[in-house]
Amino acid sequence: MSIWTSLRTGASGLQAHGEAISTVGDNIANASTVGFRGSRASFQDVLGGNAPNGQRMGAGVRLGGVDTLHNQGAIQQTGATLDMAIRGNGFFILNGNHDGAEGSYYTRDGRFNLNSEGVVVNGEGLRVQGYMLQPSGQLSATLSDLQVGGTSPPNATTELAVSMNLDSGSIAPALPWDPANASATSNSSAPTTVYDSLGQAHRADVYFITNGAGTWQWHALVDGSEVTGGTAGVPQEIAAGTLTFTPNGALDTETTTASSADFLNATPGQVIAFDFGDSITTDTGTGQSGTVQYAGANSITGLVQNGYGSGELTNLLIGDDGTVTGMFSNGQSRAVARVGLASFQSEQGLVRAGSQLFLETPDSGQALVGTAASGTRGAISAGSLENSNVDLGNELVSLIAYQRAFQANARTISTADEMLAEIANLKR
């Protein structure tokens, strides 16, 4: 090996270790970057001429490549609704324009939010991909934007359960039942709320009138202004029926003789099934859960109906399997989508695209797409983020090692330079 070759060998060491220090510096700089994947420098030796014994001589070193390390980073809770971290294998799938290039990108950075259209996006506006849930509850077959905004449609009341104690000592009113004078011609009432097909709430008062001997009649009234053809201030009957009780106060039979409501602008003929408890003869029950007739004041013990108005999205819940459940202002909740994740045969083949994004390449293989917590894909931790997987202690040790190697290669160059100077001085 000539002295000139020694200079070049030292120079190759300076260049290779300088690039390695740059890699370590990038890792240290991103030690606090959410979802960042650290890198590792890989060195390769360079061959020179042949030695006298036939072996190849070394001619220095070069940076053979930079490997991305995909080990799991620490997961930190944030409490933010749409923050997500992946526990295990996989990447979030994003679609959109990044640095002027339209396409699909993959990331472990789960800092997401809703845009003005109700689509889940990252800070750059790239759209998170997943599977929407059909009205039937089935997942869509194709990947699409996660559209989770919107409203919860109303539901018309079809069932109304009333639980009461009707005083066994009640005496029949002096006047016969008169809807226009309901308070004076009844023994008790239960104010309830029902909803029409448009989600409009209506007050419905259920009046109870004793006929003696454990027999009662009931009537459900609404104001005439709320039904087609009605008059404001004039009660309109929408349902009626009878109740009978055993001598021990248990509900024996319950009947509905009429039930039909034509609320304004809503679906006409709305039928509401009134239920007063587990009647003995009608329901083959005990007669003691629901409406009963015991000695004591008339009192309401329970009102339950299955209708509700429309509601706006107020919150989102995300399960381990990536199921996104919407919570609405009308008290309803429903699963709307599942987060999609992608895995790869070779994560090392992915190429960094900046902003914690990766691109698929022939070396990585095609993305294997599916839902979270399925196949080899990890589960989702909601309200959490995955920190950078950079270990600062290891990086600082590597930095020291590369710095010493850089200094040693510099010493190789200075030594070769001194030898060349000695040769130049031979002429003197």
Side-chain angles (χ1 to χ4, degrees):
M1 179 183 293
S2 70
I3 298 175
W4 291 107
T5 301
S6 299
L7 284 172
R8 297 192 194 94
T9 299
S12 71
L14 291 180
Q15 182 174 355
H17 285 90
E19 291 170 344
I21 290 173
S22 177
T23 300
V24 172
D26 180 55
N27 289 340
I28 294 174
N30 285 283
S32 299
T33 302
V34 173
F36 180 77
R37 288 301 189 240
S39 299
R40 177 182 60 196
S42 297
F43 298 99
Q44 293 179 347
D45 66 326
V46 177
L47 294 178
N50 292 321
N53 63 355
Q55 290 291 333
R56 296 294 301 274
M57 298 180 65
V61 67
R62 67 181 177 188
L63 188 69
V66 176
D67 301 323
T68 302
L69 304 177
H70 288 281
N71 53 297
Q72 177 85 47
I75 293 178
Q76 178 181 357
Q77 291 187 346
T78 65
T81 301
L82 284 175
D83 279 355
M84 290 182 253
I86 302 172
R87 304 193 312 271
N89 189 35
F91 295 82
F92 297 110
I93 308 166
L94 306 178
N95 269 0
N97 189 295
H98 170 67
D99 288 345
E102 190 78 22
S104 295
Y105 298 89
Y106 306 92
T107 187
R108 298 280 294 198
D109 183 356
R111 291 175 294 179
F112 303 132
N113 55 77
L114 287 182
N115 67 9
S116 60
E117 299 173 350
V119 176
V120 182
V121 297
N122 74 347
E124 195 178 344
L126 298 177
R127 303 178 301 280
V128 180
Q129 301 297 289
Y131 298 89
M132 301 303 298
L133 276 167
Q134 306 298 327
S136 63
Q138 296 295 317
L139 280 178
S140 61
T142 58
L143 206 64
S144 64
D145 298 345
L146 281 184
Q147 178 84 42
V148 299
T151 61
S152 171
N155 184 62
T157 300
T158 58
E159 299 176 358
L160 194 155
V162 181
S163 299
M164 290 193 64
N165 178 58
L166 297 174
D167 186 2
S168 60
S170 296
I171 300 174
L175 299 175
W177 165 248
D178 181 5
N181 192 19
S183 297
T185 58
S186 65
N187 297 94
S188 181
S189 65
T192 69
T193 300
V194 297
Y195 292 85
D196 62 29
S197 60
L198 299 175
Q200 179 62 50
H202 304 274
R203 173 170 172 161
D205 293 295
V206 183
Y207 291 90
F208 299 88
I209 306 100
T210 182
N211 294 329
T215 302
W216 294 71
Q217 57 178 297
W218 61 268
H219 302 267
L221 307 180
V222 298
D223 189 81
S225 64
E226 300 188 8
V227 294
T228 302
T231 302
V234 179
Q236 180 76 36
E237 187 170 280
I238 62 170
T242 63
L243 304 174
T244 64
F245 297 88
T246 65
N248 64 0
L251 180 62
D252 186 23
T253 65
E254 52 183 325
T255 66
T256 299
T257 57
S259 179
S260 181
D262 295 335
F263 292 115
L264 288 175
N265 302 318
T267 302
Q270 180 175 334
V271 175
I272 301 175
F274 285 78
D275 181 21
F276 295 91
D278 62 338
S279 50
I280 297 172
T281 300
T282 306
D283 298 331
T284 64
T286 65
Q288 296 178 339
S289 176
T291 299
V292 293
Q293 181 190 252
Y294 297 146
N298 295 311
S299 62
I300 303 171
T301 57
L303 292 170
V304 179
Q305 59 86 38
N306 66 342
Y308 46 83
S310 62
E312 299 293 329
L313 183 70
T314 58
N315 197 13
L316 291 170
L317 299 177
I318 302 172
D320 284 1
D321 63 353
T323 297
V324 182
T325 300
M327 313 295 291
F328 297 89
S329 58
N330 58 1
Q332 301 303 303
S333 64
R334 72 171 190 272
V336 294
R338 282 187 70 180
V339 178
L341 296 183
S343 61
F344 295 89
Q345 291 290 346
S346 173
E347 293 179 339
Q348 293 295 333
L350 295 172
V351 171
R352 291 173 61 179
S355 301
Q356 296 92 271
L357 301 176
F358 292 90
L359 283 171
E360 173 188 307
T361 71
D363 290 335
S364 68
Q366 291 188 350
L368 306 176
V369 178
T371 55
S374 67
T376 61
R377 290 168 288 274
I380 300 292
S381 288
S384 303
L385 292 174
E386 182 183 5
N387 292 332
S388 168
N389 67 353
V390 171
D391 186 319
L392 275 177
N394 287 337
E395 295 304 319
L396 291 174
V397 169
S398 296
L399 182 61
I400 293 171
Y402 292 153
Q403 180 185 14
R404 292 305 182 196
F406 186 93
Q407 291 173 339
N409 279 279
R411 178 63 63 186
T412 298
I413 294 173
S414 62
T415 299
D417 178 58
E418 291 173 0
M419 293 171 65
L420 287 172
E422 288 294 330
I423 292 174
N425 289 332
L426 291 177
K427 183 176 180 296
R428 297 178 181 176

